[in-house]
Amino acid sequence: MEFCGGHTHAILRYGIRELVPKTVEMRSGPGCPVCVTATTDLDKAIAMAHLPDAITVTFGDMIRVPGSYSSLQQAKAEGADVRIVYSTMDAVEIAETNPGKSVIFIGIGFETTAPTIAASILKAQREKIENFYVLCLSKLTPPVMKALLDSGEVKLDGIIGPGHVSVIIGSYPYEFIPRDYGVACVVSGFEPLDILLCIDELVEQIQKGKPKVEIAYPRGVKAEGNRNAQRVMEDVFEIGEANWRGIGIIPQSGLKIREKYEQFDADRAFSVSLKPPKEPEGCRCGDVIRGAATPLECKLFRRVCTPETPIGPCMVSSEGACAAYYLYGGELQ
Ligand code: SF4
C-alpha cells in the first residue's frame, strides 16, 4: 500500500503498476488530506464560513469538496468570504490587513503541513494579531497506519512510507510496523525511480522474510526527521483524537491547539450548530481511503463522478485516488 496520495498519482501517471510483476498488487491508502477530512468537520468549516464578519481561508482543493448540505464554494457563491491561499503565512497576512474581520484558517493535512500551521500561530502571537484563528484538523500518519493494520481488512505485506511526512517525522515512528505486524516499510520519494527502488526493497524484504524500516529517499529523509519542525509542532499542539472519513474516530491520531495558544483556536472561539452529517449516496471514498476498494469498484466512477462533477473528496483532491485513476487510466468494471 502506498500511504500517500502523491505516490498514488506518481504510480498511475508513470504506469508503475504495469511495470511491476503481476505478483505485486498495489493499493492506495489514506494519505490524502482533503479526502480523510470527515464530513462533519467539513460541515463545521462551512458553517464557520457563514459567521458574520468572517473570512475563511483554505487550501485550494478544500473549496470544492461537497459537505453534507453545501460546500465552501457554495458558501462563497452565497456571499461568504472564502479565500484560497498557498501558504499559512498568507492567511496570517489576510488577518493583518483585515483587522475588523475574524480570519479562520481551515488547517487540514498531515505532519507535512502541521509545522507550517504551528508557525502561523506563533507568528500571529508574536505580531499580536488577534483576529487570526485556526480550525485545526491536522492528522497523524503512524496512528492511522496502526488502525488499518489492526483492522486486518486489507492484508498488507508492505507499506510505501510517505516521503513528505517522513521529512518531518523521520522513519523511527514506523518501527512498530515490522516489529508488531511483520510488515515491511520503505520510505519513498516521488520520482518514478524512487518508487521503483522502494518496491524493489520491499519485495526483497518480503522474499527474505525479514521486514524492517528502510529509507529509499535518503536525499530527503533522515531517520530522526526534522527536529526543528518537530519542536515547533510540539510547542503549539498536543495529541488528541481525530475523526477520519471512512474510518471514524482514532484516538491519539490528531493535533489539537494547546491551551496556551487557545486564543487562536477556532473551535474554542466560535460555536456553530450542525445538522447530522450525511455522506454522498453511492460514494465509496471511505472504502477507497482504507484500501478496501479501488475507485474502479465504485459504480459512480467516471459515469457520474468526474473531476468536473465530483461526488466525493477522492475525486476533488489533486491527491485523491479517484482523481488519479480518472486522469491516468483504469478500466471500468
Ligand atoms: Fe466517491 Fe467519486 Fe470516488 Fe466513487 S468515484 S468513491 S463517488 S469520489
Side-chain angles (χ1 to χ4, degrees):
M1 170 181 279
E2 76 275 5
F3 178 89
C4 175
H7 282 145
T8 300
H9 275 253
I11 287 165
L12 286 153
R13 181 173 181 192
Y14 295 109
I16 288 174
R17 288 187 181 180
E18 285 73 46
L19 280 178
V20 297
K22 292 268 177 280
T23 45
V24 179
E25 186 189 338
M26 301 183 72
R27 281 283 162 137
S28 305
C32 155
V34 170
C35 308
V36 296
T37 300
T39 302
T40 180
D41 288 334
L42 179 56
D43 290 347
K44 190 190 283 180
I46 296 164
M48 285 185 180
H50 285 291
L51 289 169
D53 295 322
I55 301 176
T56 301
V57 185
T58 182
F59 293 134
D61 284 347
M62 267 308 264
I63 197 162
R64 294 181 62 221
V65 180
S68 301
Y69 307 95
S70 181
S71 66
L72 285 170
Q73 191 169 45
Q74 196 177 326
K76 187 175 168 70
E78 288 162 3
D81 192 342
V82 180
R83 305 184 191 182
I84 292 172
V85 287
Y86 295 97
S87 146
T88 51
M89 294 305 165
D90 294 344
V92 180
E93 204 179 306
I94 291 172
E96 208 172 359
T97 50
N98 291 273
K101 304 274 187 173
S102 301
V103 174
I104 304 169
F105 177 71
I106 311 300
I108 60 160
F110 296 101
E111 294 92 332
T112 323
T113 44
T116 69
I117 296 172
S120 73
I121 289 174
L122 292 176
K123 181 177 164 70
Q125 191 196 45
R126 230 176 16 250
E127 298 182 6
K128 301 194 177 2
I129 299 169
E130 290 177 356
N131 60 329
F132 176 70
Y133 304 90
V134 174
L135 177 60
C136 188
L137 304 172
S138 293
K139 294 183 172 54
L140 300 172
T141 307
V144 73
M145 289 178 165
K146 184 173 182 319
L148 292 184
L149 291 164
D150 280 339
S151 82
E153 186 178 26
V154 184
K155 158 110 187 51
L156 298 175
D157 296 307
I159 291 178
I160 298 179
H164 294 146
V165 163
S166 306
V167 169
I168 306 296
I169 67 171
S171 62
Y172 292 141
Y174 307 129
E175 294 289 347
F176 74 94
I177 296 173
R179 186 188 63 230
D180 300 344
Y181 298 91
V183 172
C185 179
V186 179
V187 176
S188 175
F190 294 86
E191 297 300 324
L193 280 176
D194 291 326
I195 297 170
L196 286 171
L197 175 65
C198 172
I199 294 170
D200 184 54
E201 290 186 8
L202 282 171
V203 170
E204 195 177 319
Q205 284 189 33
I206 295 162
Q207 277 181 332
K208 287 183 177 162
K210 287 192 176 151
K212 58 183 172 179
V213 176
E214 284 183 292
I215 299 171
Y217 185 30
R219 69 184 183 282
V221 174
K222 291 192 238 137
E224 69 275 17
N226 181 327
R227 297 275 194 222
N228 285 336
Q230 291 166 17
R231 265 193 292 274
V232 172
M233 279 166 68
E234 279 158 20
D235 177 22
V236 174
F237 300 122
E238 60 192 5
I239 294 176
E241 65 178 28
N243 192 358
W244 297 67
R245 183 186 293 267
I247 301 172
I249 303 275
I250 305 178
Q252 307 284 294
S253 71
L255 295 175
K256 308 281 166 213
I257 297 172
R258 285 190 191 276
E259 214 174 311
K260 62 177 170 171
Y261 298 107
E262 67 179 354
Q263 72 176 99
F264 303 104
D265 189 344
D267 248 335
R268 287 176 165 115
F270 306 105
S271 126
V272 286
S273 60
L274 301 174
K275 288 195 263 178
K278 54 181 184 144
E279 301 299 327
E281 209 172 315
C283 172
R284 297 194 63 188
C285 274
D287 296 335
V288 171
I289 286 165
R290 296 194 309 279
T294 72
L296 305 179
E297 292 169 70
C298 173
K299 288 196 169 60
L300 305 183
F301 177 76
R302 202 175 283 162
R303 296 182 177 94
V304 180
C305 183
T306 70
E308 285 73 41
T309 56
I311 305 292
C314 301
M315 187 60 91
V316 176
S317 171
S318 59
E319 292 188 78
C322 299
Y325 273 73
Y326 186 93
L327 285 172
Y328 305 118
E331 292 306 312
L332 287 174
Q333 291 180 336

